Amino acid sequence: ERSQEPIPSAPSHSRAFVRAGRPKSRDRTMARGAGSEVGGGEEHSQAEGRCLTKAGRWAAAVLLVFAGAQNTNTFKKYTPLYVPVECGNQTVHLEEFAVGSKSVRLSFRVMLECANPNPYEVQILPAGTGGVYVGLHNPEALQAGSLSLQPTILPPHGEGGGLVLGSASLELTGADADELLPHFLQDDAVPITMDLQFRLGMHVAFGLVDWGADTLVRKACGANVQGVLAASLGRSQAGIIYQRPERLGRLVCGDAWAELELPEVGAAASTMQAAGARERGRMVGRLAEPDQARGELIKDLSLGFAIALCYLSAVLISPLYSCLARRGAKAEPPVFDRHQRLSPDEHLAGSPAQFGGLPRSESGAALVENAIAAKADWVNETGGGLPDEELCQGNVE
């Protein structure tokens, strides 16, 4: 009997309500086109901004790499931080020799050559005034003058040479002049000794940190002076002076006064004697170990930190690092089988594993439950007049 009864058709307003929930394909296309026109300008400006940002990050990374390379070269340049400065080839010239009835006055010009092997300038500074003595340096020697060197800057790597000039003067008056005047008149050799001393100063800047140190260099030097009326005046047989007499012997230096062996005036030195004199007169400016160790520590910490900071910042700021970081942190998307069909009960009771390892949200469960309830109500009211595919599509929309 029931099969003979006509099945009531679904109300037109209900079917229209369900179908009204999903827009027509043409409407969706027009809406999509309108959205693309509106957002096209914004997407273009965003793309330009991303390009400019990426170019700026690449430029900053290149500059940081260049700065790191510069700091690395600076570190190599100042390793080792200090190499001893050497001086030698000391010479002395007699500028004035005046003998009076009550005074004796002598003045000298002193020169020495220095070589700076370091990559920075080194200053030669006066270290007070050294004493000038008449006689060998012993308790009987008489201090009668002083010696001082002019401040000089030694160029790096020995460029241009390093000639250091100094001056010494000696003057005797009163009882000292009366006692020594006969020696300055007739002796063949009057020993004159002097303290040759100066300071080496250096200063190096490592960015915001700097280092400076100095050291004292000192040598004992001496030369013989010939008396005014000595026999070697350079006279001809007729008694006429035909050349200027040589009154000053070679200047020799050593670490101690006892090492000094003053040559006679006009005596020529052999090759071995000259080599030995040069070796004894070699002046080496060595820094104290604490000063050099402090400088090495400052250099290692300041330049090492700058090098590490530049290279690390270049890596972190570069777009390549950001790309690799995003790729490493990106999770794998869940894999679903589009051919798998689950019943409504399985959807409601589904475990997170059935959804690709993702937890099932309460809103999704409620949506499925509402869809099943709506389908049941529709079947009861209309007798199943709406196809399942259309019903599902309407509920989803």
Side-chain angles (χ1 to χ4, degrees), residues 20 22 98 104 141 156 170 185 212 253 262 285 346 348 357 371 388:
R22 44 176 187 165
V104 177
L170 181 151
L185 287 175
C253 297
L262 305 183
E346 289 174 340
L348 292 174
D388 293 343

Side-chain angles (χ1 to χ4, degrees), residues 171-196:
E171 185 173 3
L172 298 172
T173 58
D176 295 334
D178 294 339
E179 180 182 357
L180 297 175
L181 181 59
H183 299 282
F184 282 102
L185 287 175
Q186 58 189 5
D187 286 0
D188 290 333
V190 178
I192 303 294
T193 55
M194 56 191 73
D195 285 321
L196 181 59

Side-chain angles (χ1 to χ4, degrees), residues 71-348:
N71 289 323
T72 303
N73 291 333
T74 303
F75 185 87
K76 294 179 180 179
K77 176 182 177 181
Y78 292 109
T79 303
L81 180 60
Y82 176 75
V83 179
V85 174
E86 295 188 4
C87 298
N89 296 330
Q90 301 91 340
T91 57
V92 61
H93 299 274
L94 185 61
E95 295 287 328
E96 181 184 9
F97 190 2
V99 177
S101 59
K102 295 292 184 180
S103 64
V104 177
R105 185 172 64 254
L106 292 90
S107 62
F108 308 91
R109 184 175 76 252
V110 181
M111 294 183 295
L112 67 153
E113 298 177 1
C114 297
N116 174 27
N118 297 284
Y120 48 85
E121 294 180 347
V122 174
Q123 291 183 332
I124 290 184
L125 305 172
T129 55
V132 178
Y133 307 88
V134 178
L136 295 176
H137 195 275
N138 51 44
E140 297 180 358
L142 175 65
Q143 182 174 357
S146 60
L147 182 151
S148 60
L149 296 179
Q150 298 178 4
T152 307
I153 296 179
L154 301 178
H157 301 295
E159 299 175 355
L163 184 62
V164 183
L165 302 178
S167 61
S169 61
L170 181 151
E171 185 173 3
L172 298 172
T173 58
D176 295 334
D178 294 339
E179 180 182 357
L180 297 175
L181 181 59
H183 299 282
F184 282 102
L185 287 175
Q186 58 189 5
D187 286 0
D188 290 333
V190 178
I192 303 294
T193 55
M194 56 191 73
D195 285 321
L196 181 59
Q197 60 184 15
F198 55 89
R199 303 193 71 86
L200 291 174
M202 57 222 69
H203 182 270
V204 184
F206 305 107
L208 300 178
V209 186
D210 57 356
W211 166 79
D214 59 18
T215 183
L216 177 65
V217 182
R218 185 175 183 178
K219 280 288 183 178
C221 301
N224 279 323
V225 176
Q226 192 177 56
V228 176
L229 302 178
S232 58
L233 292 180
R235 295 178 181 272
S236 66
Q237 294 181 354
I240 302 174
I241 298 177
Y242 64 90
Q243 64 179 5
R244 184 177 180 180
E246 186 178 3
R247 301 185 184 276
L248 187 64
R250 289 185 294 108
L251 181 69
V252 294
C253 297
D255 294 329
W257 299 105
E259 298 179 2
L260 296 182
E261 296 181 1
L262 305 183
E264 295 181 359
V265 178
S270 63
T271 304
M272 294 184 61
Q273 289 176 342
R278 283 195 300 269
E279 181 62 27
R280 288 191 299 270
R282 191 167 61 97
M283 308 174 71
V284 181
R286 303 184 187 277
L287 280 181
E289 292 186 1
D291 291 338
Q292 188 156 358
R294 180 174 60 88
E296 293 285 353
L297 180 62
I298 292 175
K299 179 200 69 174
D300 294 344
L301 291 179
S302 59
L303 292 180
F305 177 77
I307 292 170
L309 181 63
C310 289
Y311 286 135
L312 183 60
S313 301
V315 171
L316 295 179
I317 204 173
S318 63
L320 180 61
Y321 174 80
S322 302
C323 180
L324 294 177
R326 287 195 302 267
R327 180 174 297 180
K330 186 178 180 180
E332 295 184 359
V335 179
F336 296 98
D337 186 2
R338 63 188 182 90
H339 299 290
Q340 182 180 5
R341 301 179 65 88
L342 300 178
S343 64
D345 295 336
E346 289 174 340
H347 276 292
L348 292 174

